[in-house]
Amino acid sequence: MTGPTSGRDRGTDAAPAPDADPKADPDADARRLAARSLAADDPTGWFEHLYAESATGEAIVPWDSRTPHVLLVEWAAGRGPGGPGGGRALVVGAGLGDDAEYVAGLGYDTVAFDVSESAVRLARERFPGSAVDYRAADLFDPPAGWRHAFDLVVEIMTVQALPEELHARATAGVAAFVRPGGTLLVIASGREEGGPAGAPPWPLTAAEIAAFATGGLTAETIEDLRDDGRHRWRATFHRPL
Ligand SMILES: C[S@@+](CC[C@H](N)C(=O)[O-])C[C@H]1O[C@@H](n2cnc3c(N)ncnc32)[C@H](O)[C@@H]1O
């Protein structure tokens, strides 16, 4: 198991952010702020604190690799010449925007959202003039117009960043964004049923990854990827026309 937020699970290409202190524990700030929020029964509040503190150099965002996720890049490359592309995409829990920028580069008209206003501001600042529409929004209360509205939905490590008791609701929320004929791509850390969770994150069990096939979605591929002591899932789901 990697650190509490599984930042290193973003892949072997995940270099530390250029301004990160190489001696610092990259998970320490997330651990500190998450513990405070969770004790106050506010499971998502710590993300805003973490991003806001990172903007002033007081905290490290452990998943800030400054690259798109390697499993996203591989997936897109595997879809053939030119990759996927076309239509509207939604990137869930988009953080600092690297995955959203990559998805937009594939040719999608891309919306990317995060519950943290600071994350959204930082993403916009990092990518001035970006084609991505960065929005502050909550997965648990999304704009009504996003229901069944996207050809591609990309969910990377958001559900697992929430306590286990919220996984089913979060999963259903993600699935609901996919339009008929559309695809959901999920990349997450994995764990065995009953296995320990770092808390955060709460990596997904086989049953939890399969549970994205909900609300009319069907599972296409579920890859159980194990390397260098990591356990990750990459899975795709489809909403039939
Ligand atoms: C572990 S981070 C992963 C960020 C990004 N997907 C990545 O892979 O680098 C989880 C992200 O989900 C966001 N998030 C958590 N709960 C959310 C919610 N209810 N709605 C929208 N975003 C949320 C957090 O602010 C954070 O940016």
Side-chain angles (χ1 to χ4, degrees):
M1 177 69 57
T2 53
T5 48
S6 277
R8 289 181 292 281
D9 279 2
R10 281 192 60 87
T12 49
D13 62 347
D19 48 0
D21 174 357
K23 293 194 292 296
D25 171 359
D27 293 311
D29 298 312
R31 198 185 293 126
R32 165 177 60 86
L33 295 167
R36 210 168 63 192
S37 277
L38 291 165
D41 205 18
D42 177 12
T44 58
W46 63 278
F47 297 104
E48 172 55 25
H49 297 300
L50 183 65
Y51 285 114
E53 288 194 14
S54 80
T56 55
E58 293 164 87
I60 293 173
V61 176
W63 51 84
D64 176 14
S65 66
R66 309 271 165 121
T67 79
H69 198 293
V70 66
L71 295 180
L72 165 65
V73 174
E74 267 180 30
W75 173 79
R79 306 267 287 193
R88 293 184 81 201
L90 182 70
V91 180
V92 176
L96 294 165
D98 295 280
D99 298 321
E101 294 296 320
Y102 181 79
V103 168
L106 295 173
Y108 288 96
D109 187 3
T110 304
V111 177
F113 77 100
D114 202 285
V115 74
S116 162
E117 302 252 2
S118 290
V120 171
R121 178 176 56 79
L122 290 167
R124 287 183 184 141
E125 285 172 9
R126 282 189 64 208
F127 301 105
S130 170
V132 176
D133 180 4
Y134 288 103
R135 304 262 198 100
D138 188 345
L139 172 59
F140 295 119
D141 186 22
W146 290 2
R147 185 176 162 76
H148 292 194
F150 295 91
D151 300 277
L152 174 66
V153 175
V154 175
E155 147 53 4
I156 303 181
M157 301 196 315
T158 306
V159 173
Q160 72 179 60
L162 299 164
E164 262 172 302
E165 61 269 24
L166 296 178
H167 283 191
R169 215 174 122 212
T171 296
V174 170
F177 296 134
V178 182
R179 58 154 263 216
T183 296
L184 165 64
L185 170 68
V186 181
I187 293 169
S189 315
R191 74 182 164 108
E192 302 304 332
E193 202 68 55
W202 293 264
L204 307 190
T205 63
E208 287 182 316
I209 198 81
F212 281 93
T214 185
L217 291 197
T218 55
E220 269 184 346
T221 58
I222 297 185
E223 294 172 86
D224 183 338
L225 306 169
R226 298 175 194 238
D227 57 45
D228 296 334
R230 288 179 307 199
H231 180 192
R232 299 184 292 185
W233 302 107
R234 177 172 52 195
T236 57
F237 303 83
H238 178 72
R239 184 181 300 286
L241 285 169

